[in-house]
Amino acid sequence: AADRILGHADDRAEHARLGRHRVAARIDRKHEEPVGSDVRRQVAVTTAAAYLSVIVQKRLVDIAERSLETARECVRLGARQRTIAWLTGLPTSFIFHNVYDAEHLPPRGRPPYTEDFIYRSSLKVQAEVGMFAAKYRLLTAEGIAPAQALITAFRHYRSVVHQPSFSFDEAFFVVSNLDGIWAASIRALELAACRRCGRLHLLPHGAAPAVAG
């Protein structure tokens, strides 16, 4: 009888010991799960951050390449450093040393940034500027970015007029004042249709259409 009692006591002690181990194991798992979850979250966050960094870097490279290509297009059209800097955001020193070349030297003198040349010019020049501005507006209405629309419109103008009456820098300043961008803080010019011929031409911003006749 004593042996049976002792045996039962040993069994109960073993069951208690095993129970303590199971409880301890469950407690350990409960403590470990959040740690594993935190590690997985941290890995996911780190991976996402690295992926976003790659995307941002690629986008910056794409923007820089587009800016450089735009600068080269402007140089081929005779643009000055400051004009190119406004259009692309590139530093003038970088443009001088890396964009101009032996075939396309930087123009000398200050850029002719004045919208007054339109009103001081002959009717022929005013008509040409109006034609250029109308082409620019057509391109921007189709969703083309202003810088590319300016370049395309000026190329079109030069392909139509064999002896251009105004430079790319002047075309740039016209567009700046037409949309209030780049070198102009406000819109100083607008396009209006002539009541006689129907052609678009430039007027001071806010001018009544009646003066177009």
Side-chain angles (χ1 to χ4, degrees):
D3 290 339
R4 284 198 301 274
I5 293 172
L6 290 174
H8 288 308
D10 289 340
D11 289 340
R12 285 195 295 273
E14 180 64 18
H15 283 303
R17 185 180 64 79
L18 292 174
R20 286 195 300 272
H21 280 302
R22 292 193 190 98
V23 171
R26 284 198 295 270
I27 292 174
D28 288 342
R29 283 197 297 273
K30 287 182 180 179
H31 285 295
E32 287 174 1
E33 285 175 1
V35 174
S37 179
D38 289 343
V39 170
R40 287 194 294 273
R41 279 197 297 271
Q42 186 60 42
V43 170
V45 169
T46 302
T47 303
Y51 181 70
L52 288 174
S53 177
V54 170
I55 293 176
V56 170
Q57 290 296 326
K58 185 178 184 303
R59 179 161 184 174
L60 290 174
V61 169
D62 291 342
I63 292 172
E65 289 178 350
R66 285 198 300 270
S67 296
L68 188 57
E69 181 55 34
T70 298
R72 287 171 177 154
E73 290 183 275
C74 292
V75 163
R76 289 191 286 269
L77 294 172
R80 285 174 167 78
Q81 292 168 238
R82 184 156 184 180
T83 298
I84 300 171
W86 276 113
L87 285 170
T88 64
L90 296 173
T92 54
S93 58
F94 175 87
I95 295 168
F96 181 82
H97 292 291
N98 298 279
V99 182
Y100 291 105
D101 53 33
E103 188 178 349
H104 303 93
L105 297 174
R108 300 187 176 216
R110 299 181 63 184
Y113 290 164
T114 171
E115 67 274 18
D116 290 343
F117 89 92
I118 300 171
Y119 311 120
R120 291 186 282 101
S121 302
S122 65
L123 291 176
K124 175 181 176 295
V125 175
Q126 291 183 35
E128 290 181 13
V129 175
M131 178 183 69
F132 155 77
K135 181 66 174 179
Y136 166 81
R137 177 58 71 233
L138 177 64
L139 293 169
T140 56
E142 293 176 351
I144 297 177
Q148 192 57 50
L150 164 63
I151 292 170
T152 303
F154 192 74
R155 280 180 174 161
H156 172 75
Y157 162 67
R158 293 213 314 187
S159 70
V160 173
V161 179
H162 300 299
Q163 294 182 335
S165 303
F166 58 97
S167 68
F168 183 82
D169 294 301
E170 289 170 317
F172 158 81
F173 202 61
V174 166
V175 167
S176 294
N177 283 275
L178 187 61
D179 283 348
I181 55 177
W182 300 322
S185 58
I186 60 171
R187 294 181 61 193
L189 298 171
E190 66 178 329
L191 278 166
C194 176
R195 294 194 310 177
R196 293 179 182 174
C197 66
R199 291 179 180 272
L200 292 174
H201 65 129
L202 288 167
L203 295 172
H205 182 66
V211 302

